[in-house]
């Protein structure tokens, strides 16, 4: 099961800076992987259910949802099942798709603040969702400058709304530069493959052709965390998946995730998720019943 974030390159259609896609079939498992990208992602599901996994946040939705995911914020695919007449509309755009000068205009102040908030992941509640959802569904039909102006209208309305919650308020995102993407992706893939074993700083630094001190400085700059913190968080994300989807005991899950000490697992789980593994499992079972 792939749960560590990989870098995902997004290429809009020729002649467009905005990707707008509409789906009426449930997402394939191969499409619902843990990834990040420099583009913002606006997702509207009108009828369906699934799991939200955004940064440190994990929850379930039923019926519909409207979320805005900021640049380089790790997340998973969202739609497990679309109900009758269900649609998922996905809009992706770079935070500077209009250019630096345009973004500095005073008229862009609200949208610039929205983009900054989106770095924590925004879940919009029912009142604004009912207004904006149909507008998002129409976006793929527009082309050229019309698509740009319609997206700006949507973003301005979202920016002015107070009908939202931040999903990843105390979590993390990756302040990567384009030249960092391949190196970060290489690190994540290595962790994804080896998280169940102890990964030394020597081996991960060697994997990306850096000395240990250079790797530690680089990784801290890019993620805001030490490598050990990152690996432990990745293991905890995998644990949340097993706690929700498997019948394994919490002790077995602890060792399957790469921890070799149960008390340490409990301590890290509490730090990352904010509650014990047993309490988390109980709450998730109530949600998905």
């Amino acid at each position: 099961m792939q749960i560590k974030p990989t870098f995902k390159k997004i290429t809009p259609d020729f002649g467009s800076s905005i990707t707008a896609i509409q789906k009426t079939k449930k997402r394939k498992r191969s499409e619902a992987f843990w990834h990040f990208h420099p583009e913002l992602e606006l997702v509207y599901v009108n009828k369906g259910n699934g799991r939200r996994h955004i940064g440190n946040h994990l929850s379930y939705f039923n019926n519909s949802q409207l979320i805005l995911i900021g640049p380089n914020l790790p997340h998973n695919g969202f739609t497990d099942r679309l109900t009758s007449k269900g649609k998922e509309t996905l809009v992706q755009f770079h935070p500077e798709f209009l250019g630096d000068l345009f973004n500095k205009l005073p008229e862009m102040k609200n949208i610039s603040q929205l983009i900054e908030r989106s770095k924590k992941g925004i879940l919009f509640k029912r009142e604004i969702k009912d207004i904006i959802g149909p507008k998002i569904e129409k976006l793929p039909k527009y082309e050229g400058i019309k698509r740009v102006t319609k997206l700006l209208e949507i973003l301005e309305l979202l920016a002015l709304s107070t009908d939202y919650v931040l999903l990843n308020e105390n979590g993390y995102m990756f302040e990567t530069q384009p030249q960092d993407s391949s190196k970060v992706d290489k690190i994540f893939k290595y962790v994804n493959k080896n998280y169940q074993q102890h990964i030394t700083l020597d081996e991960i630094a060697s994997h990306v052709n850096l000395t240990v001190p250079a790797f530690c400085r680089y990784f801290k700059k890019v993620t805001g965390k030490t490598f050990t913190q990152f690996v432990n968080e990745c293991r905890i994300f995998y644990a949340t998946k097993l706690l929700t989807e498997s019948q394994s005991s919490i002790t077995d899950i602890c060792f399957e995730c790469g921890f070799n000490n149960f008390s340490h697992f409990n301590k890290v789980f509490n730090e990352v998720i904010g509650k014990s593994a047993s309490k988390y499992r109980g709450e998730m079972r109530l949600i998905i019943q």
Side-chain angles (χ1 to χ4, degrees):
M1 285 180 276
Q2 184 174 2
I3 56 107
K4 312 305 182 295
T6 56
F7 175 77
K8 182 178 181 181
K9 184 176 176 60
I10 292 172
T11 306
D13 294 337
F14 179 76
S16 176
S17 58
I18 303 166
T19 300
I21 304 168
Q22 200 161 85
K23 300 181 180 182
T24 55
K25 293 182 180 179
K26 74 175 183 177
R27 186 183 296 273
K28 295 179 182 177
R29 284 188 176 272
S30 61
E31 296 176 352
F33 61 95
W34 184 226
H35 65 282
F36 72 102
H37 42 73
E39 294 80 8
L40 284 89
E41 187 165 296
L42 182 62
V43 183
Y44 175 61
V45 178
N46 69 340
K47 290 183 181 180
N49 56 48
R51 184 174 59 176
R52 303 183 192 100
H53 191 171
I54 300 171
N56 283 354
H57 174 89
L58 183 64
S59 63
Y60 286 78
F61 69 92
N62 191 17
N63 189 27
S64 66
Q65 69 161 355
L66 172 58
I67 53 178
L68 179 62
I69 304 163
N72 297 318
L73 176 56
H75 59 281
N76 215 323
F78 300 100
T79 307
D80 293 338
R81 186 167 66 88
L82 289 169
T83 57
S84 176
K85 297 182 181 178
K87 285 185 289 189
E88 177 189 25
T89 307
L90 182 71
V91 183
Q92 294 166 325
F93 56 96
H94 197 277
E96 297 182 1
F97 77 104
L98 292 169
D100 189 49
L101 286 176
F102 194 92
N103 285 338
K104 289 179 179 177
L105 292 174
E107 291 84 357
M108 285 291 290
K109 180 181 177 182
N110 293 331
I111 292 177
S112 296
Q113 290 174 345
L114 175 71
I115 289 172
E116 187 63 29
R117 284 198 300 276
S118 76
K119 293 178 179 180
K120 297 180 181 294
I122 306 173
L123 172 66
F124 293 95
K125 296 184 180 179
R126 182 169 182 175
E127 184 178 338
I128 188 67
K129 179 175 65 177
D130 290 347
I131 295 170
I132 298 297
K135 295 179 183 293
I136 293 173
E137 287 184 330
K138 292 177 183 177
L139 204 58
K141 300 175 184 177
Y142 299 115
E143 296 180 354
I145 195 67
K146 189 92 170 179
R147 181 179 286 186
V148 174
T149 57
K150 291 294 182 182
L151 177 59
L152 287 175
E153 288 176 16
I154 288 169
L155 294 177
E156 179 72 6
L157 288 170
L158 292 176
L160 294 173
S161 173
T162 57
D163 194 30
Y164 68 85
V165 292
L166 299 178
L167 298 178
N168 188 53
E169 196 159 11
N170 299 313
Y172 67 96
M173 42 84 68
F174 300 106
E175 295 284 3
T176 58
Q177 299 299 319
Q179 64 269 24
D180 290 328
S181 298
S182 60
K183 189 174 291 184
V184 170
D185 187 33
K186 196 172 182 181
I187 294 168
F188 290 168
K189 284 180 177 177
Y190 191 86
V191 174
N192 180 54
K193 186 178 179 181
N194 298 284
Y195 65 90
Q196 291 175 305
Q197 287 81 42
H198 177 60
I199 304 173
T200 67
L201 285 172
D202 282 325
E203 67 181 285
I204 190 62
S206 175
H207 187 64
V208 289
N209 300 314
L210 292 173
T211 63
V212 169
F215 172 83
C216 290
R217 287 194 301 270
Y218 169 79
F219 195 82
K220 181 77 172 179
K221 177 176 76 75
V222 170
T223 68
K225 297 180 182 292
T226 67
F227 182 68
T228 299
Q229 285 176 310
F230 173 72
V231 172
N232 281 340
E233 287 187 357
C234 288
R235 288 169 174 161
I236 293 300
F237 293 146
Y238 183 57
T240 61
K241 184 177 178 68
L242 292 180
L243 287 166
T244 305
E245 300 177 1
S246 80
Q247 299 300 316
S248 300
S249 71
I250 295 176
T251 303
D252 287 344
I253 289 172
C254 157
F255 292 108
E256 186 172 345
C257 292
F259 289 94
N260 55 17
N261 182 291
F262 188 64
S263 62
H264 181 56
F265 166 78
N266 280 327
K267 179 176 180 289
V268 176
F269 197 99
N270 262 299
E271 288 173 352
V272 174
I273 305 300
K275 61 192 72 174
S276 69
S278 58
K279 185 175 182 181
Y280 176 86
R281 170 174 264 180
E283 291 178 354
M284 286 298 105
R285 284 178 173 172
L286 287 174
I287 290 172
I288 62 177
Q289 278 180 345

